[in-house]
Amino acid sequence: MAKLTYKDAGVDLDIYNQAMERLPRLLARTFTPRVIPLPGGFAGLFQLDFDCPIFARRYRNPVLVACSDGVGTKLKVASMMGRHNTVGIDLVAMNVNDALCCGAEPLFFLDYVALPKDDPPLLEEILSGIATGCQMANCALIGGETAILPDTYQPGDYDLAGFCVAVVDRDELITGKTIVPGDLLVGLASSGLHSNGYSLARKVVFQHAGLKVNDYIPSLGQTVGEVLLRPTTIYVPAIRSVLRYYRVKTVVHGIAHVTGGGIFDNLRRILPPHVDAIVEPHSWPVPPVFRWLQSLGDIEEAEMFRVFNMGIGMILVVSAYYADSIRHQIEEFGIESWIIGRIAAGSGKVCWAGELSERR
């Protein structure tokens, strides 16, 4: 009887090593001067500051900020499309956008990729998207883990997780505690669904409506797959630029990343207990993809706003005097924005203008 090997169990170490050989060049694309090379090392090295006037940050009281997130069932759409070079951008975005809510600068990123079998071309395609996302976010991809789990995932399936470490000086930390009545809500445009609500979106599109990824949607000018795979916006360059611009005065009092739970649940997370956020209906254009999904699945308006971002991917709570200036700065990065509401005295609630009770 033949002796069993690891390969017989579904893991081919020779192919695995081939996959690993493809990765260093992708990571190197993202390296900044603060990355300390450690070829073949068991961990990634990153120096918090840099002894060079050009790159020195001169932190006074640095606070590290850590985030972890995934892409969710948007990966199912990528598998259906056979296109895997954009979900890595989503993975980075979901993490660095969270770190931004503290006013932090993303430093470095780690990834976890779980596959049912060794597949060097697929892994390279996924990692190319992660590297692109890191470049967009100005952070370094310094390591990660690739797991081959033949009994956990079915052929064609895989999963991604990401981990971001960022830094902010304690005096510049944004927590929402300085939000006061009279502040305005600046909503930043999303690129579409981002990476939330895909369990509902897939059920509506593929099960309820019976559409295929290559079906063309005339009203949107794209195929189903193209619409659903559009990457999440990375807001790092725009928001970091705003925060650097106002070094003396604190004008950004709170930042909310609009993910699962929509505008209302995520905005509520940063409100102090003595204020309410009043959102103005119809103050921004809801992108057609959301109305298409709503019509396709006959979804109630309240459910749409609870599940999806509805066109607002990030919300800045800012001093009213500086709102227009901040919007102009953000739009220089190609991101549209709108004044979508205001802060009033209250008890930590978020509601539509005209409502007296909290929207849930």
Side-chain angles (χ1 to χ4, degrees):
M1 186 172 66
K3 296 183 182 296
L4 290 176
T5 66
Y6 206 8
K7 184 176 180 179
D8 295 327
V11 181
D12 189 325
L13 290 177
D14 292 329
I15 296 180
Y16 180 84
N17 288 332
Q18 292 176 26
M20 294 302 101
E21 291 171 357
R22 296 170 179 243
L23 305 188
R25 66 174 181 83
L26 295 174
L27 272 65
R29 281 169 42 190
T30 72
F31 284 0
T32 68
R34 289 191 278 177
V35 175
I36 301 175
L38 185 65
F42 289 92
L45 304 180
F46 191 98
Q47 52 191 18
L48 188 57
D49 216 328
F50 195 82
D51 190 19
C52 172
I54 298 177
F55 300 106
R57 296 299 194 271
R58 297 185 178 87
Y59 300 110
R60 298 180 301 276
N61 190 5
V63 174
L64 293 179
V65 177
C67 303
S68 179
D69 208 340
V71 179
T73 61
K74 190 172 187 175
L75 296 176
K76 289 284 190 180
V77 182
S79 293
M80 295 168 71
M81 286 282 288
R83 184 185 301 172
H84 308 280
N85 63 346
T86 61
V87 287
I89 298 174
D90 291 294
L91 183 66
V92 175
M94 297 306 290
N95 283 275
V96 298
N97 288 345
D98 277 354
L100 271 178
C101 293
C102 295
E105 171 200 5
L107 297 176
F108 58 84
F109 193 83
L110 303 171
D111 66 81
Y112 173 83
V113 183
L115 303 164
K117 67 174 184 177
D118 300 285
D119 191 335
L122 173 60
L123 181 61
E124 184 177 17
E125 190 176 358
I126 294 170
L127 264 291
S128 71
I130 296 175
T132 297
C134 285
Q135 288 178 294
M136 295 168 67
N138 299 317
C139 68
L141 176 61
I142 64 171
E145 171 68 10
T146 301
I148 308 302
L149 307 172
D151 295 326
T152 303
Y153 297 98
Q154 298 300 313
D157 288 340
Y158 62 90
D159 201 7
L160 302 179
F163 312 88
C164 173
V165 172
V167 66
V168 60
D169 262 314
R170 191 177 189 90
D171 290 343
E172 298 173 1
L173 186 64
I174 297 174
T175 64
K177 290 182 179 179
T178 58
I179 295 175
V180 294
D183 284 351
L184 296 181
L185 309 178
V186 177
L188 277 58
S190 70
S191 58
L193 274 65
H194 284 185
S195 292
N196 297 105
Y198 272 79
S199 293
L200 176 57
R202 290 186 305 106
K203 185 176 182 65
V204 168
V205 173
F206 301 122
Q207 294 183 33
H208 181 74
L211 297 176
K212 307 297 183 185
V213 289
N214 292 321
D215 287 344
Y216 184 76
I217 311 167
S219 62
L220 301 181
Q222 291 181 305
T223 66
V224 169
E226 289 170 337
V227 168
L228 296 183
L229 268 192
R230 190 167 185 182
T232 304
T233 301
I234 290 177
Y235 296 100
V236 173
I239 294 179
R240 287 293 303 162
S241 177
V242 168
L243 297 178
R244 286 193 300 268
Y245 186 82
Y246 297 102
R247 284 293 190 182
V248 178
K249 299 178 180 178
T250 302
V251 302
V252 178
H253 298 159
I255 305 177
H257 184 199
V258 182
T259 55
I263 292 171
F264 292 88
D265 285 354
N266 286 287
L267 187 53
R268 187 182 296 115
R269 294 168 64 178
I270 66 169
L271 293 181
H274 61 278
V275 301
D276 287 347
I278 313 298
V279 180
E280 292 287 346
H282 315 300
S283 57
W284 74 94
V286 175
V289 61
F290 296 103
R291 296 311 183 195
W292 169 72
L293 272 176
Q294 184 176 18
S295 175
L296 208 60
D298 192 24
I299 306 171
E300 292 185 357
E301 185 82 349
E303 184 72 358
M304 290 294 297
F305 271 90
R306 188 178 186 186
V307 175
F308 301 110
N309 66 62
M310 300 302 284
I312 300 295
M314 207 79 154
I315 299 174
L316 307 185
V317 184
V318 307
S319 297
Y321 182 82
Y322 298 97
D324 288 340
S325 175
I326 288 171
R327 290 187 59 212
H328 289 315
Q329 293 178 60
I330 289 170
E331 286 167 6
E332 288 180 359
F333 288 84
I335 299 174
E336 287 190 274
S337 66
W338 304 270
I339 303 296
I340 65 169
R342 58 187 172 83
I343 298 295
S347 56
K349 299 177 181 179
V350 182
C351 61
W352 289 113
E355 288 186 352
L356 297 178
S357 59
E358 180 180 5
R359 186 181 181 90
R360 295 188 181 276

